[in-house]
Amino acid sequence: MKNRPLFILACLSSLLLISPMLSGCDQVNTFVQQFQPAGLPELKEYQLKEFAESITVRVTTTKSKSGGSGTLIRKDGSRYTLLTNAHVLGNKEAPYRIETLDKKTYSASVVESVKFSDNDLVLLEFVSDSNYATANFPNLTKINASKYFNIGEKVYATGFCFDEKKVNFTTGTVGIFLPKNLQNGYRIGYTNAIKKGMSGGPILNHFGELIGLNGRHSYPLFGDPFVFQDGTRPSETEREKMLPLSWGVPVEILAQTASQFLNPPSQTLTGLPSEIATKAKQIAVRIERKVGGGSGVIIASHKENGNKYTYYVLTAAHVVETEQDYTIITPDNKRYTIKPGTEKKSASSDIALLSFTSDVNYSVATLGNYELKDNSYIFVFGWPISNNYTKPISLLTTGWFLSPTKAQIYDAKDVFSLQDGYELAYSNMTQGGMSGGPVFDTQGRVIGIHGQIETQDGVNIGYSLGIPSKKILSLIDNFGIQKEWLRVETSAPPFPEKEEVDNILQISLTIAKLSNQAKEEDWINYGNQLWRFGKYSDAIDAFNKALDLNPKSSLAWYAAGLAVYAQDNYVDAVRCFRNAVEIKPDFYAAWRKKGDAHDSLKQYEFALNAYERAIEESEKQNQKDFALYWRKGVTLKDLKRDPEAIIAYTKSIEIQPHLYPYINRGNFYSDKGDNDNALKDYNEAIKLDPKFAYAYNGRGNV
């Protein structure tokens, strides 16, 4: 079925810390200036709690449940780096086990290239395609603690207590900052009540910036931890003030030893991708909420009330679905509050419009309203949620657009992916937080709004999805936007030159490799990325790694089937999809693809049986998939069972009108000399797509 004409097409004992405030022991008066970064808001306590918990992980080993905590500090593709105390690992051997806030566990290994000497720090890394927050750092270009916290300043510390399942969040103040480090790098004394197991957890200031790690609790029972690295000791009076405090290792040691881990990696873009990113940063906005957030784009403006402008921001409706205040953060880092109930939403599409007023003259997007061509290069821009609190890093991804007509009935995992206005499917890698962000063509015009990713049982298998500008423009009147406030262009862009294509491919094919400790779902997600970009052999290797870990993974068998099918290896595709449905009999997407593989082998009876089983399983789940009836009709036609094929085409149209079943049914009527009904079907196809040449050809023949 894969190679048929378009109209019948078929076919991823802890050391820790606590205490009252101290003002002594800071023998050098360095705490003169309160640090507040320009444009960085002071977070509320509930925001600090949510953020601190989101970057805190539990660290254990596979052989022992004892251990401590860790702090996520960097995300590079699917590879995460975390900072913890060396004593958390102790003499325990790898692999180390990381448990994130969502209760997922990962195998981690030590970053051997970074040594912290005698300081109680160590870096670990693990791989995951889930989106986790990472720490934000103060300005450490000049390594001077006075620049990022003050004596008496409130601080917040979290960690996984040894005998508790959830993260423990504590508040306190900085009591002391020593003029030099104690042994193992300890220097920050603070009043937070730290418990055993919280070693390695973050200490944050009131901007949500990481200033240090928990490491030693108050009133140590054994030994004398109050010895400086040069062998000297504090006076007895000073020691008495130090005893009731918790003690942490300052983050400046990380800056001195491995400054490359201080900030999330930024993209290195050249050529056309760089131009698109520059344009995106002028018109895209972040949308902040209590938990998480999203992206958006300024699509219209008009001037009123003197020098005031009203701006209209388009985003995905699910970004602003809860009753709460939202904050739009514009390209100049200004913040505009959006009150709940003021947004406008579409009843038929996952689209929302927000508006704000400002005396700043912001740039406005140009919308592209034209027929998109299959395999056109496109770009998606937004702010991944893992960077969404205080110092977000934007992301531009590239990929290929899939024809809406073809994607809906063939490329998408199932037709239900392309509902609520979602008519765009594309290969771009996207992350949580990018919802509502703009989708650009190669001329920097907004051709859609990104919204979601295809998944199956929580694992990414399929494409990224968006709502096209054409659909959005049809809703503009309902949003109260006048057309003269918009900028719209209707010409399709030329295909980019080879040099530009090379620049596009360079960033689209940058996929972080997994470690040998990766889990089954990690390998499936990784393989799905490779599959999207046509690296089918590498994708199959990844899916086989998942199957090595779990031979009964229906998702891995299904994903492997997609990859071998894309290589025209229909025999192995049948085997993969058969294994998937034997393990999970209600997996109707796998039944559908099994039918496609049989059809490509001209095994029409087997294909028909698979399509009928797919229909049965989907309707048990209250899902009526018109594409399954279309597939059934095509196969019945191949079996010379024309009357049954007509019934299947008609059922497909009743569920949801689409070009292909109209064309197929029109062809049948035309062959039988029923010109009236043939003409009706070709006309209906033309209504759905006025540029579908085959429908005109059929009508001309009639």
Side-chain angles (χ1 to χ4, degrees):
M1 185 174 279
K2 180 181 179 182
N3 298 316
R4 296 186 177 202
L6 178 62
F7 62 90
I8 53 171
L9 278 169
C11 285
L12 198 320
S13 159
S14 179
L15 289 166
L16 283 172
L17 355 194
I18 90 184
S19 318
M21 171 183 161
L22 282 177
S23 57
C25 249
D26 52 327
Q27 298 173 7
V28 182
N29 183 22
T30 56
F31 304 100
V32 215
Q33 178 183 0
Q34 180 75 29
F35 173 71
Q36 180 164 356
L40 190 62
E42 184 171 342
L43 300 182
K44 296 177 181 177
E45 188 164 309
Y46 78 86
Q47 293 175 307
L48 287 159
K49 180 176 186 294
E50 290 165 354
F51 182 54
E53 291 175 347
S54 70
I55 64 173
T56 305
V57 299
R58 191 191 297 274
V59 181
T60 58
T61 68
T62 54
K63 296 180 180 179
S64 172
K65 292 184 178 179
S66 64
S69 303
T71 304
L72 296 172
I73 63 168
R74 181 178 169 93
K75 181 180 189 294
D76 188 358
S78 58
R79 189 174 301 278
Y80 286 90
T81 305
L82 66 98
L83 186 66
T84 187
N85 297 130
H87 79 259
V88 167
L89 304 187
N91 296 321
K92 303 179 182 73
E93 295 181 356
Y96 303 103
R97 177 184 168 109
I98 306 302
E99 180 184 315
T100 49
L101 191 63
D102 56 2
K103 302 302 181 185
K104 292 183 178 179
T105 58
Y106 303 93
S107 293
S109 56
V110 173
V111 179
E112 299 289 355
S113 60
V114 178
K115 305 293 184 185
F116 289 99
S117 187
D118 294 329
N119 296 304
D120 190 13
L121 293 176
V122 68
L123 291 171
L124 297 175
E125 63 180 11
F126 67 95
V127 171
S128 171
D129 277 327
S130 295
N131 288 311
Y132 299 119
T134 55
N136 301 300
F137 292 93
N139 182 1
L140 295 169
T141 52
K142 296 180 179 179
I143 309 303
N144 184 338
S146 66
K147 296 297 183 184
Y148 61 92
F149 68 85
N150 299 272
I151 297 295
E153 179 181 336
K154 265 196 170 184
V155 288
Y156 308 85
T158 59
F160 283 91
C161 298
F162 177 70
D163 55 351
E164 297 177 13
K165 292 185 177 180
K166 63 181 182 179
V167 182
N168 186 32
F169 175 77
T170 68
T171 62
T173 56
V174 177
I176 196 169
F177 184 76
L178 296 170
K180 55 187 176 181
N181 290 344
L182 294 168
Q183 289 181 346
N184 303 125
Y186 288 93
R187 196 175 181 188
I188 304 171
Y190 54 112
T191 66
N192 303 57
I194 303 301
K195 299 180 182 180
K196 183 177 179 181
M198 293 176 67
S199 284
I203 309 169
L204 304 180
N205 64 17
H206 55 292
F207 297 112
E209 296 171 322
L210 182 68
I211 64 169
L213 293 191
N214 305 316
R216 290 175 175 164
H217 56 66
S218 62
Y219 297 107
L221 298 176
F222 306 102
D224 184 6
F226 302 120
V227 179
F228 292 109
Q229 286 182 334
D230 61 7
T232 62
R233 297 172 185 268
S235 68
E236 192 59 32
T237 300
E238 291 169 338
R239 188 176 185 280
E240 288 301 313
K241 292 178 180 179
M242 296 163 70
L243 276 172
L245 292 173
S246 300
W247 286 90
V249 181
V251 74
E252 65 183 68
I253 292 176
L254 174 66
Q256 293 164 340
T257 307
S259 60
Q260 69 270 28
F261 289 95
L262 287 178
N263 295 300
S266 57
Q267 286 183 293
T268 302
L269 302 176
T270 58
L272 183 59
S274 176
E275 294 172 13
I276 299 297
T278 299
K279 187 168 291 190
K281 290 173 183 177
Q282 296 170 351
I283 59 176
V285 301
R286 283 194 299 126
I287 299 174
E288 191 177 86
R289 59 190 188 192
K290 288 182 180 178
V291 179
S295 305
V297 60
I298 301 173
I299 64 156
S301 71
H302 72 281
K303 197 171 184 180
E304 59 182 24
N305 300 328
N307 293 324
K308 293 285 186 180
Y309 295 85
T310 296
Y311 293 96
Y312 298 92
V313 172
L314 206 59
T315 187
H318 69 264
V319 172
V320 291
E321 63 185 352
T322 57
E323 287 291 321
Q324 60 176 282
D325 284 357
Y326 296 92
T327 302
I328 288 178
I329 299 133
T330 47
D332 58 355
N333 275 330
K334 291 187 182 297
R335 305 169 70 85
Y336 300 91
T337 300
I338 307 298
K339 291 296 182 182
T342 60
E343 71 278 0
K344 296 179 180 179
K345 298 179 181 178
S346 166
S348 60
S349 300
D350 185 22
I351 283 292
L353 189 77
L354 313 178
S355 62
F356 68 94
T357 301
S358 173
D359 55 4
V360 180
N361 189 4
Y362 294 112
S363 298
V364 175
T366 298
L367 302 180
N369 183 24
Y370 54 86
E371 293 300 322
L372 299 167
K373 294 181 180 179
D374 203 18
N375 296 320
S376 298
Y377 292 108
I378 63 171
F379 307 83
V380 180
F381 183 85
W383 284 267
I385 204 167
S386 58
N387 300 314
N388 205 50
Y389 258 90
T390 59
K391 292 183 180 178
I393 301 297
S394 59
L395 179 66
L396 180 81
T397 68
T398 66
W400 297 271
F401 165 77
L402 305 171
S403 161
T405 301
K406 180 172 172 286
Q408 186 180 43
I409 207 162
Y410 177 65
D411 292 309
K413 182 174 66 70
D414 54 54
V415 300
F416 308 109
S417 297
L418 297 168
Q419 292 184 334
D420 298 326
Y422 287 100
E423 297 176 5
L424 297 181
Y426 33 90
S427 64
N428 304 58
M429 296 303 156
T430 52
Q431 301 178 30
M434 295 178 73
S435 286
V439 181
F440 293 100
D441 66 11
T442 53
Q443 292 187 336
R445 298 173 298 185
V446 175
I447 57 171
I449 296 296
H450 170 68
Q452 60 186 18
I453 307 170
E454 288 189 305
T455 61
Q456 178 75 31
D457 299 334
V459 178
N460 293 344
I461 295 185
Y463 294 99
S464 296
L465 306 171
I467 299 174
S469 293
K470 182 178 181 180
K471 182 84 173 179
I472 293 163
L473 287 167
S474 69
L475 304 170
I476 288 300
D477 289 341
N478 298 331
F479 287 156
I481 294 180
Q482 297 179 25
K483 291 182 178 178
E484 58 265 28
W485 300 346
L486 298 166
R487 297 176 183 175
V488 182
E489 293 182 1
T490 57
S491 59
F495 194 80
E497 299 292 334
K498 182 184 183 302
E499 183 180 351
E500 293 173 337
V501 170
D502 291 341
N503 285 323
I504 293 169
L505 295 178
Q506 183 179 359
I507 68 168
S508 67
L509 295 177
T510 304
I511 302 172
K513 293 184 178 180
L514 300 192
S515 69
N516 290 329
Q517 286 79 40
K519 297 189 299 183
E520 170 197 340
E521 57 266 34
D522 298 328
W523 285 112
I524 297 174
N525 283 327
Y526 177 60
N528 181 61
Q529 295 179 53
L530 295 165
W531 168 76
R532 284 198 202 187
F533 289 118
K535 299 170 77 73
Y536 302 126
S537 295
D538 291 337
I540 291 167
D541 289 342
F543 298 138
N544 284 336
K545 290 275 180 53
L547 289 167
D548 288 341
L549 294 170
N550 179 13
K552 294 293 186 181
S553 171
S554 62
L555 290 179
W557 281 115
Y558 172 75
L562 294 177
V564 295
Y565 183 87
Q567 292 182 314
D568 299 334
N569 183 352
Y570 307 125
V571 172
D572 279 349
V574 166
R575 178 179 61 86
C576 291
F577 295 130
R578 181 178 64 241
N579 288 339
V581 296
E582 285 178 352
I583 295 165
K584 186 177 173 59
D586 63 350
F587 195 171
Y588 70 85
W591 281 111
R592 185 185 77 171
K593 295 306 294 183
K594 183 174 182 289
D596 290 349
H598 281 303
D599 183 273
S600 297
L601 293 168
K602 302 188 185 305
Q603 298 171 344
Y604 300 128
E605 288 289 355
F606 288 112
L608 180 61
N609 290 337
Y611 293 139
E612 288 181 333
R613 184 62 183 271
I615 290 170
E616 178 186 348
E617 295 300 336
S618 67
E619 294 187 354
K620 282 181 184 177
Q621 300 170 44
N622 296 318
Q623 302 277 24
K624 290 192 174 183
D625 187 336
F626 79 90
L628 292 175
Y629 283 97
W630 169 74
R631 283 171 159 78
K632 179 180 176 180
V634 172
T635 305
L636 287 165
K637 173 71 174 173
D638 289 326
L639 291 168
K640 314 294 185 191
R641 293 160 62 175
D642 290 355
E644 294 173 84
I646 290 299
I647 294 172
Y649 295 144
T650 301
K651 181 67 173 178
S652 175
I653 292 167
E654 288 173 353
I655 295 171
Q656 183 176 328
H658 190 277
L659 287 177
Y660 293 178
Y662 271 125
I663 292 295
N664 286 108
R665 195 174 68 173
N667 290 344
F668 172 82
Y669 287 139
S670 179
D671 290 343
K672 298 298 182 184
D674 187 348
N675 292 334
D676 289 340
N677 280 320
L679 192 60
K680 288 178 183 177
D681 279 350
Y682 293 135
N683 284 334
E684 290 299 323
I686 290 169
K687 286 180 185 177
L688 292 171
D689 185 354
K691 294 187 177 181
F692 191 52
Y694 193 90
Y696 287 101
N697 183 67
R699 189 169 72 174
N701 288 337
V702 171

